[in-house]
Amino acid sequence: QVQLVESGGGLVQAGGSLNLSCSASGRSFDSYAMGWFRQAPGKEREFVALIRWNGGSTYYSDSVKGRFTISRDNAKNTMYLEMNSLKPEDTAVYYCAADRATSAILLRPQNLEYWGQGTQVTVSS
């Protein structure tokens, strides 16, 4: 069993930066691929970024590529999302998720093993 807790959200002006964290408790954090998703009001949840269990590879949605960086520290059981050059359209609740299958984060996000409760990011224009 893995419990995920996001933190670091808040209000920032367009062009600013925020750093999100996803802390995991439970066992075998380094057995899981991790991902970030977001959901804006009135919209479906969308994929943001993923990272393999060992941090060896990452993948981003086109909308955040070049602006966001995903990373993880398995010794601290924590995943991060560094968000730069934020835009108003980045406003959403951001969720972290975990699954033992890296491909699942892209292919079956509706059935991932674990989800956090979300943290609000608001970017003002």
Side-chain angles (χ1 to χ4, degrees):
Q1 191 80 355
V2 175
Q3 293 81 40
L4 303 175
V5 178
E6 302 94 337
S7 62
L11 174 64
V12 64
Q13 288 188 333
S17 299
L18 276 177
N19 294 313
L20 303 185
S21 298
C22 174
S23 297
S25 60
R27 57 194 182 116
S28 304
F29 173 75
D30 57 4
S31 298
Y32 292 86
M34 303 290 295
W36 287 99
F37 293 80
R38 65 187 182 186
Q39 187 167 18
K43 295 188 177 181
E44 292 189 353
R45 186 172 57 198
E46 66 171 350
F47 166 79
V48 174
L50 70 82
I51 187 165
R52 289 193 66 190
W53 67 273
N54 61 357
S57 63
T58 58
Y59 184 75
Y60 299 89
S61 68
D62 287 344
S63 61
V64 307
K65 194 177 300 181
R67 300 188 297 122
F68 291 11
T69 302
I70 189 172
S71 61
R72 66 190 294 166
D73 185 339
N74 287 345
K76 296 182 178 179
N77 282 10
T78 304
M79 175 181 65
Y80 306 96
L81 186 68
E82 179 183 349
M83 305 187 295
N84 298 313
S85 302
L86 282 162
K87 305 174 182 180
E89 51 263 44
D90 293 318
T91 294
V93 177
Y94 283 71
Y95 299 90
C96 63
D99 200 282
R100 273 169 281 214
T102 304
S103 60
I105 294 177
L106 284 175
L107 299 179
R108 52 172 180 85
Q110 69 279 8
N111 289 324
L112 297 179
E113 292 183 69
Y114 302 106
W115 287 91
Q117 84 291 345
T119 186
Q120 176 71 46
V121 171
T122 303
V123 184
S124 63
S125 57

